[in-house]
Amino acid sequence: MNRWNEVGVCAALCAALGARGAGAQRPAARDTTRADTARRTPRDSVARNDALHRAIPDSAARDSLVARQLAAVARRPERSIFHQLNLDRLRLREIGLAGGAVFPDQVRSTALYALHADYGEIVPDFRVVFGASYWTSQYTDDAVAGFSQALGRAVGGAPVDSVHVGTVHSADVALTAETRWRPHVFGRGGPGTVLRPWLALGLGAHFINVQNPTLDGTFVARALDGVALGPTTALGLDVAPLRVLRLTGEARYDLFNGARYGSVRVGASYVFEPQLAR
């Protein structure tokens, strides 16, 4: 009897333990998902907020960059040569002397003396240069003989030998203003600063004086004397052995009032501001 009592007590204890285990069930799957979602939501929100905060500065940076580019375009100077004119920079940069030979039409070749002043660049690679030159010579014998014949016919068919004009002297003082294109053939700062070819185009005023004892005071002398305007063009080469010294060689051609002559010249210039010379 005692044995059956012990069995009953064990059975009662097992039943009680089984009931307690059944009451402590695990939470359902959906509860676990909700808990995980609840735990992840703050981190996801923080990540989205961080992305939003990063996007705002990026957008502002892009807007600032676009604004700077637009401002730079607005401030950018025009590329047209007329918008690059810089008259304020024009001042005496170089002054020089030159000598050479002139070959006038119907006048004997003779020596020429010239002075030039360089006022610097008006636009990149284009310089403004003023010059003055002087030469004097006499007409060739053929030119004087042809003039004597024409003069004899003009005075009523006088014999050619009876009209003696003699030697006719001619002098020319020319003032020129020109633009020289002097490009940097080898680039700025390189050999191009030592050896520089150039091409010039300008306008010259020629003060012509003709002297002859027979013609002085006549309408012929007045017709030959006077002031004539005409274009001038030149091709030259500059060599700078020193910072303050520039050597120049050029071939020039002048055309005015139906007359024309070519000349070759060699000269030297003193550079006032070598640090600005180009």
Side-chain angles (χ1 to χ4, degrees):
M1 188 68 184
N2 292 331
R3 182 179 296 176
W4 288 107
N5 290 335
E6 292 177 357
V7 171
V9 171
C10 289
L13 289 174
C14 290
L17 292 175
R20 292 184 62 183
Q25 295 180 356
R26 289 185 177 181
R30 58 178 178 274
D31 295 335
T32 303
T33 303
R34 288 173 184 169
D36 294 341
T37 303
R39 287 193 298 269
R40 288 196 304 267
T41 299
R43 291 196 298 269
D44 294 343
S45 299
V46 172
R48 286 195 297 271
N49 290 336
D50 291 341
L52 180 60
H53 287 303
R54 286 195 303 270
I56 292 176
D58 292 344
S59 177
R62 287 194 298 269
D63 294 342
S64 177
L65 178 60
V66 171
R68 288 196 301 269
Q69 290 176 346
L70 292 176
V73 170
R75 292 192 303 267
R76 187 177 302 166
E78 296 288 342
R79 297 301 180 185
S80 171
I81 190 172
F82 298 103
H83 290 82
Q84 301 182 48
L85 292 175
N86 194 347
L87 300 177
D88 294 337
R89 293 181 56 190
L90 292 183
R91 62 178 180 271
L92 186 60
R93 307 284 187 177
E94 304 174 16
I95 188 169
L97 297 172
V102 62
F103 310 96
D105 186 30
Q106 296 184 338
V107 178
R108 294 180 181 178
S109 302
T110 186
L112 175 142
Y113 308 95
L115 171 70
H116 61 270
D118 189 326
Y119 275 76
E121 291 185 342
I122 189 171
V123 294
D125 295 337
F126 287 86
R127 311 182 70 83
V128 176
V129 180
F130 298 96
S133 63
Y134 168 79
W135 59 264
T136 181
S137 184
Q138 62 186 43
Y139 280 85
T140 62
D141 295 338
D142 292 340
V144 174
F147 176 75
S148 299
Q149 293 176 9
L151 185 60
R153 291 191 297 268
V155 297
V160 175
D161 296 338
S162 63
V163 179
H164 297 282
V165 177
T167 302
V168 180
H169 293 274
S170 178
D172 178 30
V173 176
L175 302 178
T176 59
E178 62 188 42
T179 300
R180 290 185 182 181
W181 176 51
R182 195 169 73 181
H184 289 76
V185 179
F186 302 100
R188 298 179 184 273
T193 58
V194 178
L195 188 65
R196 298 283 298 280
W198 53 266
L199 177 66
L201 181 64
L203 183 66
H206 298 264
F207 300 84
I208 306 167
N209 182 30
V210 176
Q211 294 180 348
N212 176 266
T214 305
L215 301 177
D216 287 347
T218 65
F219 71 92
V220 177
R222 289 193 295 269
L224 295 176
D225 292 343
V227 181
L229 297 177
T232 179
T233 182
L235 179 65
L237 178 67
D238 289 345
V239 181
L242 302 175
R243 296 185 61 193
V244 297
L245 178 65
R246 193 183 303 277
L247 304 179
T248 302
E250 63 178 281
R252 182 175 295 270
Y253 193 81
D254 293 85
L255 175 66
F256 58 95
N257 196 26
R260 56 189 180 276
Y261 64 82
S263 61
V264 291
R265 310 176 186 184
V266 177
S269 303
Y270 177 79
V271 181
F272 289 101
E273 297 175 313
Q275 70 276 10
L276 299 178
R278 294 182 176 181

